Amino acid sequence: TLFSNKKKKRKKICYIFFIVVNEFCERFSYYGMRAVLVLYFRYFLLWDDDLATSIYHAFVALCYLTPILGAIIADSWLGKFKTIIYLSIVYAIGQVTMAISTIHDITDANRDGTPDNFTFHIALSMLGLILIALGTGGIKPCVAAFGGDQFQEHQSRQLNTFFSVFYLCINAGSLLSTLITPLKSVASTLMVFIAGSGMYVKTDPEGNIMWSVCKCIGFAIKNRFRHRSSSYPKREHWMDWANEKYDKLLIAQIKMVLKVLFLYIPLPMFWTLFDQKGSRWTLQATTMSGDFVSILISTVNPILILTLVPIMDRLIFPLIQKCGLNFSPLKRMTVGMLFAAMAFVSAALVQIEIDKTLPNFPSSSESQLKVVNTYSTTLNVTISPNEHLLIESFGSSADYVTFDHQDITVSLNTNPVITKAFSLIKGGRQTLIIPSDPTVMYLKEDVKSKPREGKNAIRFVNGYTADLNITNLDSIEPSATTNYTLVNQGKRDFVLRHGEQWCEFSRKFGFGASYTFLIPSTVFSDDCESITEVEDMKPNSVHMALQIPQYFLITTGEVMFSVTGLQFSYSQAPKNMKSVLQAGWLCTNAVGNIIVLIVAELGKLPKQWAEYLLFASLLVAVSIIFSIMAYFYTYIDPAEIEAQVRKEQGLEPEEMEKETLEMEEKDEDQKNEQGVKQTKI
Ligand SMILES: N[C@@H](Cc1ccc(O)cc1)C(=O)NCC(=O)O
């Protein structure tokens, strides 16, 4: 018996292996594609930032809504195994469609590198994304529940370990996804899953369960309404009003599911905060210094998960248990929410530090102006009514001057005096360029936000007497100013050329700065040495490492909240509704994403740190509500309740037989374990 039990255990590890590797491959494919999705929208479909971000969040929300469909198909019709196989095929077709949509040659008849028919590419990619959402979302509740199905009722410890390993595989998959192409992985996902086919415990779907559930709930509501008069005796639960027509077992199962779904109502708030790390926190990183932006953003979460899950499971939770504290799943989830709230407080503190270093940008009713002088002598510049600036030759005003009106008149103390009227841009930043011929002074628009992704915005004013060519820039006429061009951090070289004459200009850049370089007429005679720079915007000075605490806190929150939620949703669901409850759990994520979408559109507070604090406070409030709801929740053993109802109904169906068998097996296991211990002694 001991030998056959060991063999059984080894076999179980083997087919659980297929399920977790399947999840690893699937997440690898999903995150690999998701990582480049916004870039595809921005640089291939040429959408603006807002549209790209909105469609991205809508896609993520859809991926977490389709689990309902997958769960209905699995629990009512095909069973989990077949649902996973069929929807994986849909998933693979979606990835292929998406891949085809990125081939610009299909519609690029004139071979100029840009597609001629954007509608075709947009339609194809949207179709691909819908199929992917259907595939990834549809299989998601089935894979988790199918994994759980491989364990017996008494194996709750092993079940929890399974969900932890499952979560580890999700994150290992997402971490590696940046290295290998997503397409290959969908095919391998399917192959790995099918490879274990003969070994799985497959539970059959029990007819159209969702339809029966809806009809039963509908009948209970109708019947309650019909008997609303106080002359009718009250019933313990409103679902008991379905007793007249529906099976007691179905009613008991619906009660279990509804109890858990009710508990889920506050949960989307956690995801609202969690999902903002991909948007707001990424934007925050672009205003900081440090050269690991992309690495930090795409890998810090999975790396922390891979470290924290084992630490929590093997060290922290057992230690808490040893201290005699009952750290129940719902308590863990509440603490997880509080960690996420702390992460946002940390983000607010970092934001306050960043704000101290940010330029003072104009409000929507103000205009800002800076003056650059490339005239041969120092100038006295008067800007009406009472702004007086003394500006050296090839120098600039110290900082921007802010005006609360747009119409200004500029006077220069030349001989004769030159006066010119200008209209400034409302809410904008501009530079007044005074060239070698001051009568043609002109305004040039400046950047009014930090350059993206830590890049630097630079431009040149040509004070040379003829046209100049500068590396990677169009030729500039005398007295003209180039548009801004973005350059990466580090040392950059520019070659300035006019006919046979040339010189090289080198400059080391930090992160997120903006400069105007003034080229004098002597540029070639002193080998570019005389080029002067005007700092329009200071480089970022708060280091990105300051974001690590907020990432650490939110990931600790995720481990407590998300891994526990996954286990809880499985353990509290009746056998025939495991996928449905997994789908309900995933739906909380979808709603969270939808809230992010709405908040991004509507709820902009003037100060970013205030918005972070608002979100943190909202989550604390929600976690208090959740802890009160959790206090009144009694953990159940769905199998026990089902067995009890069956007994009350006088039934002794196969389920009961199976359970008796499992109990016998458990006794056998215990006896064997004792046997081993005795042998050791
Ligand atoms: N921790 C997330 C995965 C993840 C990976 C990389 C990121 O930049 C953010 C999040 C996770 O486990 N999600 C659950 C899932 O099923 O995908």
Side-chain angles (χ1 to χ4, degrees):
T1 317
L2 188 63
F3 182 68
S4 83
N5 269 328
K6 268 192 182 161
K7 222 166 118 184
K8 258 194 242 164
K9 255 183 206 163
R10 225 175 284 141
K11 228 167 116 185
K12 176 158 286 174
I13 290 173
C14 176
Y15 52 73
I16 291 295
F17 170 81
F18 286 109
I19 296 173
V20 292
V21 172
N22 164 74
E23 183 64 12
F24 168 87
C25 297
E26 191 279 317
R27 290 288 90 184
F28 176 90
S29 158
Y30 173 76
Y31 282 108
M33 190 275 301
R34 222 177 81 161
V36 290
L37 196 56
V38 174
L39 297 178
Y40 169 71
F41 292 155
R42 286 279 294 115
Y43 302 110
F44 187 91
L45 299 182
L46 305 178
W47 288 350
D48 64 24
D49 264 5
D50 286 344
L51 183 62
T53 319
S54 299
I55 300 292
Y56 169 82
H57 278 296
F59 166 70
V60 176
L62 190 65
C63 290
Y64 284 98
L65 280 175
T66 46
I68 303 174
L69 209 65
I72 293 174
I73 297 173
D75 283 351
S76 315
W77 179 28
L78 290 178
K80 297 179 193 91
F81 181 76
K82 281 190 187 155
T83 308
I84 296 170
I85 301 284
Y86 295 152
L87 286 181
S88 294
I89 295 170
V90 173
Y91 191 172
I93 296 173
Q95 288 278 27
V96 173
T97 312
M98 197 63 197
I100 295 172
S101 82
T102 63
I103 307 172
H104 58 70
D105 280 1
I106 299 178
T107 65
D108 185 11
N110 56 0
R111 295 286 180 265
D112 66 349
T114 32
D116 299 337
N117 186 350
F118 273 99
T119 318
F120 170 81
H121 289 275
I122 293 172
L124 208 60
S125 57
M126 290 305 111
L127 175 70
L129 287 180
I130 290 170
L131 293 177
I132 292 171
L134 199 64
T136 183
I139 64 174
K140 207 157 172 49
C142 306
V143 179
F146 190 65
D149 287 351
Q150 309 307 310
F151 297 87
Q152 288 160 8
E153 256 100 54
H154 64 274
Q155 294 179 305
S156 63
R157 203 172 52 82
Q158 287 94 327
L159 190 69
N160 284 352
T161 307
F162 162 74
F163 281 114
S164 295
V165 174
F166 186 76
Y167 214 80
L168 284 179
C169 286
I170 290 175
N171 287 277
S174 86
L175 186 62
L176 283 185
S177 64
T178 39
L179 304 175
I180 315 166
T181 59
L183 193 61
K184 282 180 203 158
S185 63
V186 185
S188 48
T189 303
L190 203 55
M191 278 174 339
V192 169
F193 188 65
I194 294 172
S197 170
M199 307 177 192
Y200 301 133
V201 174
K202 296 176 194 161
T203 49
D204 289 330
E206 295 185 11
N208 200 343
I209 185 81
M210 284 313 286
W211 182 231
S212 312
V213 168
C214 293
K215 280 198 304 191
C216 183
I217 293 176
F219 180 79
I221 295 170
K222 249 195 303 184
N223 204 23
R224 172 76 190 89
F225 189 70
R226 249 188 257 137
H227 300 89
R228 61 188 175 282
S229 145
S230 54
S231 55
Y232 294 105
K234 280 199 171 134
R235 296 188 185 180
E236 209 182 310
H237 191 285
W238 64 270
M239 269 310 298
D240 292 333
W241 287 96
N243 274 346
E244 278 90 333
K245 195 168 163 191
Y246 286 88
D247 181 23
K248 279 223 165 59
L249 182 62
L250 179 68
I251 296 173
Q253 289 167 332
I254 296 176
K255 280 185 196 170
M256 291 185 239
V257 170
L258 289 181
K259 243 174 80 173
V260 180
L261 288 182
F262 176 68
L263 208 56
Y264 285 173
I265 293 172
L267 303 190
M269 198 62 208
F270 173 88
W271 298 115
T272 302
L273 271 75
F274 184 81
D275 288 322
Q276 284 190 52
K277 80 183 158 43
S279 46
R280 301 279 152 119
W281 289 12
T282 311
L283 286 179
Q284 186 182 58
T286 65
T287 57
M288 303 174 86
S289 68
D291 51 1
F292 50 95
V293 191
S294 50
I295 299 172
L296 179 83
I297 287 158
S298 56
T299 60
V300 76
N301 175 278
I303 289 176
L304 279 172
I305 292 274
L306 292 177
T307 359
L308 285 174
V309 168
I311 293 177
M312 292 283 182
D313 260 16
R314 301 282 148 201
L315 203 75
I316 310 286
F317 294 151
L319 213 69
I320 294 175
Q321 207 174 11
K322 269 210 176 119
C323 295
L325 295 170
N326 172 21
F327 203 30
S328 65
L330 295 179
K331 280 187 193 157
R332 278 185 213 178
M333 288 168 75
T334 313
V335 174
M337 287 185 183
L338 293 176
F339 267 99
M342 285 194 284
F344 266 63
V345 173
S346 170
L349 294 176
V350 171
Q351 192 62 48
I352 290 170
E353 280 310 303
I354 294 171
D355 285 354
K356 284 183 198 161
T357 66
L358 282 183
N360 191 12
F361 292 116
S363 68
S364 55
S365 62
E366 291 173 335
S367 307
Q368 289 184 335
L369 184 72
K370 175 177 238 182
V371 183
V372 161
N373 176 15
T374 61
Y375 185 54
S376 50
T377 59
T378 300
L379 284 174
N380 217 325
V381 183
T382 307
I383 307 171
S384 65
N386 49 13
E387 208 63 56
H388 302 282
L389 306 165
L390 187 70
I391 306 172
E392 282 175 13
S393 172
F394 282 83
S396 75
S397 52
D399 203 353
Y400 285 89
V401 182
T402 304
F403 297 93
D404 53 13
H405 53 274
Q406 278 68 60
D407 295 325
I408 56 163
T409 309
V410 179
S411 305
L412 308 180
N413 66 328
T414 43
N415 190 11
V417 171
I418 299 169
T419 303
K420 209 167 172 179
F422 293 98
S423 184
L424 300 175
I425 299 173
K426 225 177 180 182
R429 280 186 146 193
Q430 286 163 286
T431 296
L432 175 72
I433 310 277
I434 305 173
S436 51
D437 173 8
T439 56
V440 292
M441 60 183 160
Y442 59 93
L443 289 178
K444 189 83 188 167
E445 196 172 345
D446 298 358
V447 276
K448 57 168 190 161
S449 59
K450 280 273 172 192
R452 306 165 125 268
E453 294 153 20
K455 291 198 165 139
N456 300 279
I458 63 160
R459 62 183 177 184
F460 293 86
V461 181
N462 185 4
Y464 187 63
T465 45
D467 283 8
L468 279 179
N469 280 309
I470 305 178
T471 330
N472 296 332
L473 293 170
D474 289 336
S475 136
I476 353 170
E477 288 171 11
S479 301
T481 305
T482 63
N483 288 327
Y484 279 110
T485 180
L486 291 176
V487 294
N488 284 327
Q489 164 266 354
K491 188 169 169 280
R492 305 282 147 216
D493 303 321
F494 304 90
V495 177
L496 278 71
R497 200 180 287 279
H498 172 70
E500 293 295 297
Q501 303 185 84
W502 67 277
C503 65
E504 197 177 45
F505 165 63
S506 294
R507 169 75 163 79
K508 209 170 167 212
F509 294 98
F511 297 87
S514 158
Y515 302 95
T516 302
F517 293 107
L518 312 179
I519 305 167
S521 53
T522 53
V523 64
F524 294 121
S525 52
D526 56 23
D527 205 17
C528 279
E529 288 291 313
S530 52
I531 295 178
T532 50
E533 76 176 39
V534 175
E535 192 180 69
D536 301 331
M537 206 179 289
K538 282 189 168 35
N540 304 340
S541 54
V542 177
H543 200 273
M544 215 172 271
L546 279 190
Q547 272 197 330
I548 290 174
Q550 70 204 53
Y551 273 102
F552 178 79
L553 287 167
I554 202 127
T555 313
T556 310
E558 183 190 352
V559 173
M560 295 209 167
F561 182 86
S562 188
V563 183
T564 315
L566 203 64
Q567 296 162 355
F568 178 80
S569 307
Y570 184 86
S571 71
Q572 298 298 288
K575 218 175 185 100
N576 54 351
M577 296 185 204
K578 298 271 185 207
S579 316
V580 170
L581 216 48
Q582 285 292 326
W585 163 251
L586 294 166
C587 252
T588 62
N589 200 326
V591 179
N593 253 285
I594 293 167
I595 299 175
V596 176
L597 259 175
I598 299 167
V599 166
E601 291 302 320
L602 303 177
K604 278 228 161 66
L605 288 185
K607 291 280 173 208
Q608 186 58 58
W609 62 263
E611 195 178 298
Y612 287 142
L613 283 190
L614 176 72
F615 276 115
S617 324
L618 283 176
L619 191 57
V620 171
V622 164
S623 64
I624 293 170
I625 296 171
F626 179 71
S627 65
I628 296 169
M629 289 164 81
Y631 178 79
F632 291 104
Y633 181 87
T634 30
Y635 293 90
I636 52 156
D637 179 349
E640 207 176 285
I641 295 179
E642 283 168 345
Q644 205 179 323
V645 175
R646 280 181 205 283
K647 213 169 176 183
E648 278 167 20
Q649 287 177 316
L651 296 169
E652 186 75 25
E654 49 178 70
E655 289 291 312
M656 291 276 281
E657 284 164 21
K658 229 199 263 174
E659 243 167 66
T660 320
L661 272 174
E662 279 165 13
M663 292 305 283
E664 280 169 8
E665 213 175 90
K666 188 179 162 187
D667 285 349
E668 202 66 53
D669 274 353
Q670 278 168 354
K671 271 185 213 156
N672 284 328
E673 267 174 35
Q674 274 165 7
V676 174
K677 273 183 206 156
Q678 277 162 11
T679 325
K680 273 185 188 162
I681 290 164

